[in-house]
Amino acid sequence: METLLQSFPSFGLNLKLKPLLLNKRKVSMEISSFSYKKFLHFALEETQLHTHLVPSPLQEQFSCVKSMDGKSELQMLSFQAPKIRYYRSLSIECGDAMQVLDFAVFPEPEVDLPIFCANFFTTASMNIIVLDLNPLHDVIIHKDYKEKYYKSLIPLGLKYAELLPWGGKLTSESIRFFSPIVLWTKFTSSQDNHEIVFSAFMDYYKAWLKLMDQAAPENNASQVALNCEAQHKYLTWRAEKDPGHQVLRRLVGETAAKDIINNFLFNGIKTLGSKGFLDYFPEYRCEDGTINQKRSVIGKSFQSRPWDTGGNFIGNDPR
């Protein structure tokens, strides 16, 4: 861009535009040097300090997919381990245009651990970040579950909530799947912001691994069944309503996207339960029996963080 500006010195806009264009170039350079690969490397190395990972049976089928235009590559990894039913990541790199990370760790039903969730979307100008230990059981209803897993983590959540402010409206249907320490934010791309997100990712994942180390497998068959259904409900919601699906469909087409969503990203839909989306969320049923495609049917949303500094829910009842 500097060369382009120097080629047109007779245009009086040169001095005014050059700082703006150089700033855009700086942002672009920062994005091109940024990669979510270090997040994945950290997660793998850190996990192996706590447990023994083995490749998932899905790894052979889902490893690398080229986008329809050949400009992007979808890289997938999947593992399993004691207490970990399914560890998986999907990363997408589209050069300077877009980078995506969808990383999750699902516990075995014998432990009621939260689900580790990191969904990051980055372009040259904008980042959309969701990082959480998604509760297996609704923390608004189940106070004992909130106390068990989140009481000690509230200071960690408050630390990063200051650095990564609330990102705006979040639907009441979605809020039930988040914890008091969720980080939901949007920000302009910069090296400083990316480093904060990486630091949060590391701290949150270390916290999850510590919880995993401490978790004792459940022997009560009825509680295991409840855990299994709770995870199946979560998977069913994400497979149907996750907003990131649009990116997948645009990159690889409807058929391939559906395969990745149902069989890789949210694996367990077919094995952990038999209920369908409308069984769990009947409010989405249309008159003709189909699923309402809207993200929200209740119509409520949370413009600001609906938990106080003690981790107590202060929004209206989301249901």
Side-chain angles (χ1 to χ4, degrees):
M1 283 187 183
E2 288 175 281
T3 304
L4 178 63
L5 282 167
Q6 291 165 359
S7 301
F8 297 96
S10 60
F11 285 83
L13 297 175
N14 187 10
L15 293 178
K16 294 180 180 179
L17 285 179
K18 187 171 182 178
L20 176 61
L21 293 174
L22 287 178
N23 185 55
K24 288 183 177 179
R25 183 185 179 210
K26 180 182 177 183
V27 171
S28 179
M29 289 175 66
E30 287 176 348
I31 300 307
S32 63
S33 63
F34 174 76
S35 173
Y36 284 120
K37 288 179 181 177
K38 68 177 183 179
F39 289 64
L40 296 177
H41 290 160
F42 167 80
L44 272 176
E45 291 178 359
E46 196 69 20
T47 306
Q48 291 178 95
L49 296 176
H50 293 258
T51 189
H52 178 62
L53 287 173
V54 296
S56 160
L58 293 171
Q59 185 59 58
E60 187 173 341
Q61 181 182 354
F62 296 97
S63 57
C64 183
V65 177
K66 281 281 189 181
S67 62
M68 293 185 293
D69 62 8
K71 296 180 180 180
S72 307
E73 189 172 83
L74 288 71
Q75 296 184 340
M76 291 165 274
L77 291 172
S78 57
F79 300 91
Q80 55 193 34
K83 299 184 186 178
I84 295 177
R85 181 184 69 81
Y86 189 46
Y87 169 119
R88 57 86 172 149
S89 65
L90 167 67
S91 59
I92 305 172
E93 295 197 356
C94 305
D96 295 347
M98 179 182 70
Q99 294 193 53
V100 176
L101 175 63
D102 187 335
F103 173 71
V105 187
F106 300 92
E108 290 281 8
E110 286 75 20
V111 290
D112 64 355
L113 282 168
I115 298 164
F116 186 86
C117 166
N119 290 106
F120 304 154
F121 177 85
T122 295
T123 68
S125 60
M126 177 58 69
N127 292 258
I128 301 173
I129 302 296
V130 177
L131 177 63
D132 194 21
L133 277 61
N134 291 155
L136 192 63
H137 301 289
D138 189 334
V139 292
I140 299 172
I141 299 173
H142 301 282
K143 307 293 186 183
D144 55 338
Y145 187 85
K146 186 182 76 170
E147 286 286 310
K148 180 179 180 180
Y149 285 117
Y150 299 102
K151 184 178 181 180
S152 65
L153 299 180
I154 295 300
L156 178 65
L158 292 176
K159 170 187 173 181
Y160 286 106
E162 278 195 32
L163 298 170
L164 301 168
W166 191 257
K169 290 183 179 180
L170 195 65
T171 66
S172 57
E173 287 89 348
S174 298
I175 208 76
R176 72 186 83 174
F177 295 106
F178 291 121
S179 81
I181 66 166
V182 61
L183 299 177
W184 147 238
T185 190
K186 299 177 183 178
F187 55 79
T188 302
S189 292
S190 73
Q191 184 174 350
D192 287 344
N193 284 332
H194 291 152
E195 287 304 318
I196 292 171
V197 171
F198 185 43
S199 177
F201 178 85
M202 291 190 292
D203 286 347
Y204 271 52
Y205 194 55
K206 286 178 181 178
W208 187 89
L209 288 170
K210 185 177 179 180
L211 293 177
M212 182 194 72
D213 289 342
Q214 297 169 347
E218 178 64 62
N219 294 319
N220 187 314
S222 61
Q223 185 59 51
V224 172
L226 287 174
N227 294 343
C228 201
E229 180 169 285
Q231 192 171 147
H232 187 254
K233 181 179 182 179
Y234 173 94
L235 293 169
T236 303
W237 170 263
R238 292 285 307 274
E240 182 65 35
K241 293 296 180 180
D242 195 294
H245 299 346
Q246 297 175 17
V247 174
L248 275 180
R249 294 184 181 103
R250 179 161 53 85
L251 290 174
V252 298
E254 182 70 32
T255 301
K258 187 174 182 180
D259 187 29
I260 293 171
I261 291 166
N262 291 330
N263 296 315
F264 178 76
L265 287 179
F266 305 112
N267 179 268
I269 291 178
K270 298 176 181 177
T271 57
L272 293 181
S274 58
K275 289 184 179 180
F277 182 85
L278 293 176
D279 295 319
Y280 288 124
F281 311 101
E283 64 271 23
Y284 279 86
R285 184 183 300 276
C286 295
E287 289 184 2
D288 62 0
T290 59
I291 298 172
N292 192 322
Q293 294 305 302
K294 291 181 179 179
R295 284 276 298 157
S296 175
V297 294
I298 296 176
K300 291 183 182 179
S301 62
F302 298 92
Q303 183 65 42
S304 58
R305 191 173 193 87
W307 289 278
D308 65 17
T309 56
N312 302 302
F313 188 75
I314 54 175
N316 294 326
D317 188 342
R319 280 162 293 279

